[in-house]
Amino acid sequence: VSTTEQEINTYLEALSEEAESPQSLLRKAVELLGSEIALASSFSVEDVALIHMLVEIDPNARVFALDTGRLNDETYQVAEDIRVKYGINVRWYFPEKLKVQGLVRDKGLYSFRESVENRKECCAIRKVEPLGRALSSLKAWITGQRREQSVTRQTLEFVEIDSVNQLLKLNPIAAWTSNDVWDYVKRHEVPYNKLYDKGFTSIGCAPCTRAISAGEDERAGRWWWESPEHKECGLHFTEEDLKQADTGDKT
Ligand code: ADX
Ligand code: SF4
């Protein structure tokens, strides 16, 4: 599907008016876009809350997930609990096997620890390229990002244009706090990743995620060896980020 600029702008306008609650935005989005919109799920607590909202609106709502090959067992477990409880078919995307084979042959299994550049290379192969394939048949995608999560997300909009991937991006719970998310999940008894009970507050790949201590930032356990302004894996880059990376400002 090729989405024209005009079409994107029309949807942007229509959806921006519906952002007073996550549910109203999702309902309008599903009504307008049907199977051309999908939720990107890492099965974080934010994503499972959104899955619960989405299936209430449309039991056939589309959900996709990127399997980097380095996820925690607890993540597969909650993905399975959610699949069974809500009867959804999750579309899993995997990285190109030749790219992964080449990377680990040339640089080993933990190259991402050696530099920000190597870490971004691993994320590019294991997450960003598969994301491109997942988005190729869509006009919009939904994420569980929140403003509170990090310095890089403070100005997040409910509805924005993803200029890198040329489609719309919806962040229905951008304004929610961590408490809002947990209240929702507990109230509706939505299955969640058991790593949260062990001090994790943000969960990505197993070797790049650790639990945090009291007082630490929510995303402090992600790529903890890097400084906060680097902590995006490329899934949520803007064109501006890509330009800065080219000129060396970001790496
Ligand atoms: S990341 O960019 O640092 O990895 P984060 O874990 O905060 O992102 O997740 C933010 C949102 O990105 C999630 O709510 C989800 O919508 C999407 N996302 C992150 N990782 C994945 C994944 N492996 N598969 C699908 N969507 C993902
Ligand atoms: Fe690779 Fe770590 Fe990025 Fe996962 S989070 S894709 S293991 S660098």
Side-chain angles (χ1 to χ4, degrees):
V1 183
S2 79
T3 311
T4 64
E5 221 169 281
Q6 198 186 350
E7 212 181 351
I8 293 184
N9 284 324
T10 311
Y11 289 130
L12 176 70
E13 218 170 286
L15 291 170
S16 299
E17 288 168 10
E18 300 288 337
E20 72 269 16
S21 79
Q23 287 91 342
S24 63
L25 178 57
L26 290 172
R27 196 168 295 111
K28 184 73 180 175
V30 167
E31 185 188 307
L32 279 178
L33 293 157
S35 63
E36 290 179 321
I37 182 163
L39 169 73
S41 173
S42 64
F43 299 94
S44 65
V45 66
E46 289 83 7
D47 300 339
V48 296
L50 284 167
I51 289 175
H52 180 270
M53 289 177 206
L54 259 182
V55 293
E56 284 208 325
I57 293 166
D58 174 9
N60 297 316
R62 222 163 132 169
V63 177
F64 73 85
L66 310 169
D67 185 343
T68 61
R70 304 294 290 258
L71 301 178
N72 292 285
D73 194 49
E74 289 84 348
T75 302
Y76 294 114
Q77 194 56 61
V78 65
E80 200 53 14
D81 293 346
I82 292 279
R83 183 184 74 85
V84 171
K85 182 160 184 181
Y86 301 112
I88 56 168
N89 292 324
V90 178
R91 298 177 194 216
W92 285 94
Y93 288 82
F94 297 87
E96 295 278 5
K97 70 170 182 259
L98 291 178
K99 293 248 180 69
V100 177
Q101 282 176 196
L103 175 71
V104 299
R105 180 197 58 217
D106 296 345
K107 299 192 174 173
L109 289 163
Y110 291 87
S111 60
F112 41 80
R113 294 259 206 272
E114 286 155 23
S115 63
V116 174
E117 193 182 23
N118 277 0
R119 201 270 291 165
K120 288 189 174 168
E121 179 185 29
C122 183
C123 284
I125 292 172
R126 293 181 185 271
K127 290 185 184 173
V128 182
E129 187 279 331
L131 175 71
R133 273 183 279 130
L135 298 181
S136 65
S137 59
L138 299 175
K139 287 186 176 157
W141 61 306
I142 304 163
T143 89
Q145 292 183 101
R146 294 184 294 109
R147 291 177 189 148
E148 196 192 62
Q149 281 168 333
S150 76
V151 287
T152 56
R153 297 186 181 173
Q154 279 166 10
T155 57
L156 203 62
E157 302 281 353
F158 295 114
V159 187
E160 56 187 19
I161 293 178
D162 173 348
S163 53
V164 173
N165 297 295
Q166 291 290 314
L167 77 174
L168 273 186
K169 186 170 177 179
L170 274 57
N171 308 301
I173 55 169
W176 276 23
T177 63
S178 167
N179 277 346
D180 294 333
V181 183
W182 281 105
D183 282 352
Y184 184 94
V185 161
K186 294 276 163 80
R187 185 153 27 96
H188 296 284
E189 298 182 352
V190 184
Y192 65 85
N193 192 320
K194 291 296 166 273
L195 288 175
Y196 289 110
D197 293 337
K198 297 183 181 163
F200 287 69
T201 46
S202 171
I203 302 166
C205 291
C208 298
T209 309
R210 64 159 170 73
I212 62 164
S213 329
E216 270 189 309
D217 202 61
E218 224 180 277
R219 275 165 72 85
R222 302 290 296 279
W223 308 294
W224 62 91
W225 60 91
E226 294 180 6
S227 57
E229 68 274 17
H230 289 138
K231 292 187 187 204
E232 287 294 347
C233 67
L235 290 187
H236 305 295
F237 275 168
T238 60
E239 272 188 316
E240 202 47 41
D241 294 326
L242 295 180
K243 271 187 224 140
Q244 285 179 354
D246 277 350
T247 56
D249 292 358
K250 269 234 148 170
T251 52

